[in-house]
mmCIF file of all heavy atoms in Angstrom:
data_model
loop_
_atom_site.group_PDB
_atom_site.id
_atom_site.type_symbol
_atom_site.label_atom_id
_atom_site.label_comp_id
_atom_site.label_asym_id
_atom_site.label_seq_id
_atom_site.Cartn_x
_atom_site.Cartn_y
_atom_site.Cartn_z
ATOM 1 N N ASP A 490 -45.916 -19.622 -0.160
ATOM 2 C CA ASP A 490 -46.650 -18.384 -0.426
ATOM 3 C C ASP A 490 -45.697 -17.205 -0.220
ATOM 4 O O ASP A 490 -44.701 -17.306 0.497
ATOM 5 C CB ASP A 490 -47.889 -18.261 0.459
ATOM 6 C CG ASP A 490 -47.578 -18.485 1.928
ATOM 7 O OD1 ASP A 490 -46.387 -18.689 2.254
ATOM 8 O OD2 ASP A 490 -48.506 -18.448 2.746
ATOM 9 N N ALA A 491 -46.007 -16.084 -0.869
ATOM 10 C CA ALA A 491 -45.096 -14.938 -0.846
ATOM 11 C C ALA A 491 -45.902 -13.639 -0.804
ATOM 12 O O ALA A 491 -47.002 -13.546 -1.350
ATOM 13 C CB ALA A 491 -44.201 -14.948 -2.084
ATOM 14 N N ILE A 492 -45.316 -12.636 -0.129
ATOM 15 C CA ILE A 492 -45.955 -11.327 -0.080
ATOM 16 C C ILE A 492 -44.883 -10.265 -0.331
ATOM 17 O O ILE A 492 -43.746 -10.362 0.153
ATOM 18 C CB ILE A 492 -46.675 -11.086 1.260
ATOM 19 C CG1 ILE A 492 -47.473 -9.783 1.206
ATOM 20 C CG2 ILE A 492 -45.711 -11.112 2.445
ATOM 21 C CD1 ILE A 492 -48.461 -9.633 2.347
ATOM 22 N N PHE A 493 -45.244 -9.244 -1.093
ATOM 23 C CA PHE A 493 -44.341 -8.151 -1.450
ATOM 24 C C PHE A 493 -44.944 -6.840 -0.959
ATOM 25 O O PHE A 493 -46.032 -6.454 -1.396
ATOM 26 C CB PHE A 493 -44.146 -8.090 -2.970
ATOM 27 C CG PHE A 493 -43.471 -9.294 -3.554
ATOM 28 C CD1 PHE A 493 -44.202 -10.439 -3.869
ATOM 29 C CD2 PHE A 493 -42.100 -9.294 -3.782
ATOM 30 C CE1 PHE A 493 -43.577 -11.547 -4.408
ATOM 31 C CE2 PHE A 493 -41.469 -10.410 -4.324
ATOM 32 C CZ PHE A 493 -42.205 -11.539 -4.640
ATOM 33 N N PHE A 494 -44.253 -6.161 -0.026
ATOM 34 C CA PHE A 494 -44.653 -4.839 0.439
ATOM 35 C C PHE A 494 -43.784 -3.805 -0.289
ATOM 36 O O PHE A 494 -42.567 -3.776 -0.108
ATOM 37 C CB PHE A 494 -44.453 -4.691 1.948
ATOM 38 C CG PHE A 494 -45.345 -5.567 2.770
ATOM 39 C CD1 PHE A 494 -44.842 -6.696 3.417
ATOM 40 C CD2 PHE A 494 -46.691 -5.268 2.937
ATOM 41 C CE1 PHE A 494 -45.659 -7.500 4.194
ATOM 42 C CE2 PHE A 494 -47.510 -6.068 3.716
ATOM 43 C CZ PHE A 494 -46.997 -7.195 4.345
ATOM 44 N N LEU A 495 -44.409 -2.945 -1.080
ATOM 45 C CA LEU A 495 -43.647 -2.016 -1.905
ATOM 46 C C LEU A 495 -44.145 -0.586 -1.725
ATOM 47 O O LEU A 495 -45.320 -0.290 -1.931
ATOM 48 C CB LEU A 495 -43.771 -2.400 -3.390
ATOM 49 C CG LEU A 495 -43.376 -3.843 -3.749
ATOM 50 C CD1 LEU A 495 -43.688 -4.119 -5.212
ATOM 51 C CD2 LEU A 495 -41.917 -4.094 -3.447
ATOM 52 N N ASP A 496 -43.229 0.298 -1.320
ATOM 53 C CA ASP A 496 -43.524 1.724 -1.319
ATOM 54 C C ASP A 496 -43.612 2.200 -2.771
ATOM 55 O O ASP A 496 -43.197 1.492 -3.693
ATOM 56 C CB ASP A 496 -42.415 2.472 -0.566
ATOM 57 C CG ASP A 496 -42.572 3.967 -0.622
ATOM 58 O OD1 ASP A 496 -43.694 4.452 -0.417
ATOM 59 O OD2 ASP A 496 -41.569 4.657 -0.908
ATOM 60 N N TYR A 497 -44.138 3.377 -2.983
ATOM 61 C CA TYR A 497 -44.320 3.865 -4.356
ATOM 62 C C TYR A 497 -43.286 4.940 -4.716
ATOM 63 O O TYR A 497 -42.320 4.677 -5.411
ATOM 64 C CB TYR A 497 -45.744 4.391 -4.554
ATOM 65 C CG TYR A 497 -46.039 4.761 -5.993
ATOM 66 C CD1 TYR A 497 -46.293 3.775 -6.930
ATOM 67 C CD2 TYR A 497 -46.032 6.101 -6.405
ATOM 68 C CE1 TYR A 497 -46.536 4.102 -8.266
ATOM 69 C CE2 TYR A 497 -46.283 6.436 -7.726
ATOM 70 C CZ TYR A 497 -46.533 5.426 -8.656
ATOM 71 O OH TYR A 497 -46.765 5.754 -9.968
ATOM 72 N N ASP A 498 -43.456 6.180 -4.209
ATOM 73 C CA ASP A 498 -42.559 7.285 -4.585
ATOM 74 C C ASP A 498 -41.144 7.039 -4.074
ATOM 75 O O ASP A 498 -40.924 6.792 -2.892
ATOM 76 C CB ASP A 498 -43.073 8.602 -4.001
ATOM 77 C CG ASP A 498 -44.373 9.034 -4.637
ATOM 78 O OD1 ASP A 498 -44.336 9.543 -5.763
ATOM 79 O OD2 ASP A 498 -45.441 8.834 -4.006
ATOM 80 N N GLY A 499 -40.164 7.149 -4.976
ATOM 81 C CA GLY A 499 -38.773 6.957 -4.590
ATOM 82 C C GLY A 499 -38.369 5.505 -4.543
ATOM 83 O O GLY A 499 -37.190 5.200 -4.380
ATOM 84 N N THR A 500 -39.344 4.593 -4.662
ATOM 85 C CA THR A 500 -39.061 3.161 -4.593
ATOM 86 C C THR A 500 -39.365 2.493 -5.924
ATOM 87 O O THR A 500 -38.494 1.853 -6.532
ATOM 88 C CB THR A 500 -39.893 2.519 -3.471
ATOM 89 O OG1 THR A 500 -39.562 3.150 -2.230
ATOM 90 C CG2 THR A 500 -39.599 1.016 -3.366
ATOM 91 N N LEU A 501 -40.594 2.631 -6.389
ATOM 92 C CA LEU A 501 -40.959 2.083 -7.701
ATOM 93 C C LEU A 501 -40.788 3.119 -8.803
ATOM 94 O O LEU A 501 -40.564 2.764 -9.965
ATOM 95 C CB LEU A 501 -42.408 1.584 -7.682
ATOM 96 C CG LEU A 501 -42.677 0.365 -6.807
ATOM 97 C CD1 LEU A 501 -44.159 0.051 -6.761
ATOM 98 C CD2 LEU A 501 -41.891 -0.851 -7.293
ATOM 99 N N VAL A 502 -40.928 4.394 -8.472
ATOM 100 C CA VAL A 502 -40.717 5.477 -9.441
ATOM 101 C C VAL A 502 -39.781 6.502 -8.820
ATOM 102 O O VAL A 502 -39.746 6.663 -7.594
ATOM 103 C CB VAL A 502 -42.051 6.156 -9.831
ATOM 104 C CG1 VAL A 502 -42.980 5.171 -10.511
ATOM 105 C CG2 VAL A 502 -42.721 6.775 -8.607
ATOM 106 N N PRO A 503 -38.990 7.192 -9.631
ATOM 107 C CA PRO A 503 -38.099 8.222 -9.079
ATOM 108 C C PRO A 503 -38.894 9.363 -8.468
ATOM 109 O O PRO A 503 -40.027 9.638 -8.875
ATOM 110 C CB PRO A 503 -37.312 8.707 -10.311
ATOM 111 C CG PRO A 503 -37.483 7.640 -11.342
ATOM 112 C CD PRO A 503 -38.826 7.026 -11.082
ATOM 113 N N LEU A 504 -38.276 10.020 -7.482
ATOM 114 C CA LEU A 504 -38.896 11.206 -6.901
ATOM 115 C C LEU A 504 -38.888 12.336 -7.922
ATOM 116 O O LEU A 504 -37.924 12.518 -8.664
ATOM 117 C CB LEU A 504 -38.123 11.639 -5.657
ATOM 118 C CG LEU A 504 -38.202 10.673 -4.467
ATOM 119 C CD1 LEU A 504 -37.203 11.087 -3.386
ATOM 120 C CD2 LEU A 504 -39.614 10.637 -3.895
ATOM 121 N N VAL A 505 -39.989 13.076 -7.970
ATOM 122 C CA VAL A 505 -40.104 14.205 -8.886
ATOM 123 C C VAL A 505 -40.511 15.432 -8.094
ATOM 124 O O VAL A 505 -41.048 15.338 -6.991
ATOM 125 C CB VAL A 505 -41.134 13.923 -10.007
ATOM 126 C CG1 VAL A 505 -40.646 12.823 -10.923
ATOM 127 C CG2 VAL A 505 -42.497 13.559 -9.420
ATOM 128 N N ARG A 506 -40.206 16.615 -8.666
ATOM 129 C CA ARG A 506 -40.490 17.861 -7.953
ATOM 130 C C ARG A 506 -41.979 18.086 -7.765
ATOM 131 O O ARG A 506 -42.408 18.664 -6.779
ATOM 132 C CB ARG A 506 -39.861 19.034 -8.711
ATOM 133 C CG ARG A 506 -38.339 19.045 -8.650
ATOM 134 C CD ARG A 506 -37.753 20.143 -9.516
ATOM 135 N NE ARG A 506 -38.156 21.464 -9.068
ATOM 136 C CZ ARG A 506 -37.545 22.154 -8.106
ATOM 137 N NH1 ARG A 506 -36.523 21.628 -7.475
ATOM 138 N NH2 ARG A 506 -37.954 23.360 -7.773
ATOM 139 N N ASP A 507 -42.792 17.617 -8.716
ATOM 140 C CA ASP A 507 -44.241 17.766 -8.626
ATOM 141 C C ASP A 507 -44.849 16.385 -8.432
ATOM 142 O O ASP A 507 -44.840 15.552 -9.342
ATOM 143 C CB ASP A 507 -44.780 18.400 -9.902
ATOM 144 C CG ASP A 507 -46.264 18.730 -9.795
ATOM 145 O OD1 ASP A 507 -46.935 18.194 -8.885
ATOM 146 O OD2 ASP A 507 -46.759 19.513 -10.636
ATOM 147 N N PRO A 508 -45.378 16.070 -7.233
ATOM 148 C CA PRO A 508 -45.903 14.728 -6.965
ATOM 149 C C PRO A 508 -46.998 14.282 -7.936
ATOM 150 O O PRO A 508 -47.189 13.089 -8.163
ATOM 151 C CB PRO A 508 -46.471 14.854 -5.547
ATOM 152 C CG PRO A 508 -45.714 15.977 -4.926
ATOM 153 C CD PRO A 508 -45.451 16.945 -6.042
ATOM 154 N N SER A 509 -47.705 15.247 -8.546
ATOM 155 C CA SER A 509 -48.783 14.865 -9.470
ATOM 156 C C SER A 509 -48.247 14.269 -10.764
ATOM 157 O O SER A 509 -49.013 13.694 -11.554
ATOM 158 C CB SER A 509 -49.660 16.077 -9.786
ATOM 159 O OG SER A 509 -48.909 17.054 -10.496
#
Side-chain angles (χ1 to χ4, degrees):
D490 51 3
I492 187 167
F493 296 84
F494 293 106
L495 305 174
D496 175 45
Y497 187 76
D498 292 283
T500 301
L501 293 174
V502 297
L504 293 170
V505 293
R506 291 175 62 84
D507 187 344
S509 65

